[in-house]
Amino acid sequence: MKPINEMKVQFPSRSVNERLARSVVSAFAAGLDPTLDELADLRTAVSEAVTNCIVHAYPDSIGKISLQLRLFTDGRLSVKITDWGVGIDDIKQAMTPLYTSGGEDRAGLGFSVMESFCDRVRVRSKAGHGTTVTLDKYILSRHTEAV
Amino acid sequence: MTIQTTRSEDTLTVHLTGELDHHSAAGWRSAIDREAICCHPKRLVLDFSDVTFMDSSGIGLVMGRYKLMRSWGGDLRLGGLSPRLRQMMSLAGIDRLPVWEEGENHETY
Ligand SMILES: Nc1ncnc2c1ncn2[C@@H]1O[C@H](COP(=O)(O)OP(=O)(O)OP(=O)(O)O)[C@@H](O)[C@H]1O
Ligand SMILES: [Mg+2]
């Protein structure tokens, strides 16, 4: 399926850009007239994935993060977050609720939040090379009425 | 992000305003801990009614403050959580801890 709209941005892994990433997603999704809940779901899931790049992928350095957004005719919004950081050895373990390799202020719930707020979460990673997280969410509510 | 703290008798109340993400959480954490560690209040109340966004960094903040308060036998109360924030807290099992403010309606999911 070909996207009907798409965009891609890149930014350094600085924590101020967590907010920037949320704003980009809001702006991109606005054309779909999402409900406030759908928008909050998306913003939260993207915030989780981008924060993971900042905290885990590049723990002691600043690297680049790519955020790719695509919209399809069936109302599916697909968000791909890519980093070229440390990668994940064991994806299954990483996605287990409450698992964290981080310090005491991490809950280990980022992936759980992504999964509860999106229709699909896919993770591809290679240790030493980086990670790609793809979040899919259907914005159906008003979209279907509009077509 | 702003923070406002008030202290009365044994209770430290912290009113959080703004977006709670990894970027803002560090500042909030140190502000809360500074106040809490100096005076060991019996109760810490975190008021979320003006938190406009929260991700799992907020869950981590709450879990960490719960442990801190328990370390001297104090307790933590959460107030002003929207159904969305409450749903997120439940991912961590926080909804099963005795942290709800009196008068908060547990049924409003
Ligand atoms: N982009 C990434 N690069 C490398 N490791 C990652 C990445 N994303 C996640 N991880 C690994 O997966 C674990 C789980 O991630 P998750 O977001 O669920 O929890 P967390 O980030 O540790 O805590 P929280 O999100 O609750 O603050 C992380 O602790 C980390 O080990
Ligand atoms: Mg995380």
Side-chain angles (χ1 to χ4, degrees), chain A residues 48-49 51-52 55-56 106 108-111 114, chain B residues 56:
Chain A
E48 295 294 352
T51 300
N52 279 351
V55 174
H56 305 295
R106 308 252 66 89
L109 286 170
F111 280 122
M114 289 181 238
Chain B
S56 65

Side-chain angles (χ1 to χ4, degrees), chain B:
Chain B
M1 150 219 147
T2 59
I3 190 165
Q4 201 189 327
T5 64
T6 45
R7 208 173 310 134
S8 66
E9 293 187 36
D10 293 332
T11 303
L12 172 66
T13 303
V14 177
H15 188 95
L16 307 160
T17 304
E19 302 201 334
L20 207 184
D21 61 8
H22 157 255
H23 179 71
S24 63
W28 283 4
R29 182 188 60 225
S30 52
I32 295 167
D33 288 5
R34 198 181 321 117
E35 295 268 339
I37 289 167
C38 88
C39 331
H40 287 200
K42 283 215 177 78
R43 173 164 290 184
L44 170 65
V45 178
L46 298 180
D47 180 355
F48 282 81
S49 46
D50 289 312
V51 170
T52 52
F53 172 86
M54 188 189 89
D55 62 21
S56 65
S57 304
I59 308 176
L61 183 81
V62 167
M63 288 167 71
R65 283 346 95 210
Y66 180 77
K67 283 183 210 147
L68 180 72
M69 291 303 295
R70 292 308 300 157
S71 72
W72 57 78
D75 60 20
L76 174 70
R77 287 289 180 273
L78 306 178
L81 287 173
S82 64
R84 162 175 296 270
L85 296 202
R86 190 179 282 257
Q87 180 196 344
M88 291 177 68
M89 294 296 176
S90 74
L91 291 173
I94 292 172
D95 55 326
R96 293 193 296 273
L97 300 173
V99 292
W100 304 116
E101 276 283 73
E102 275 151 45
E104 292 268 317
N105 183 357
H106 292 220
E107 315 310 324
T108 49
Y109 265 92

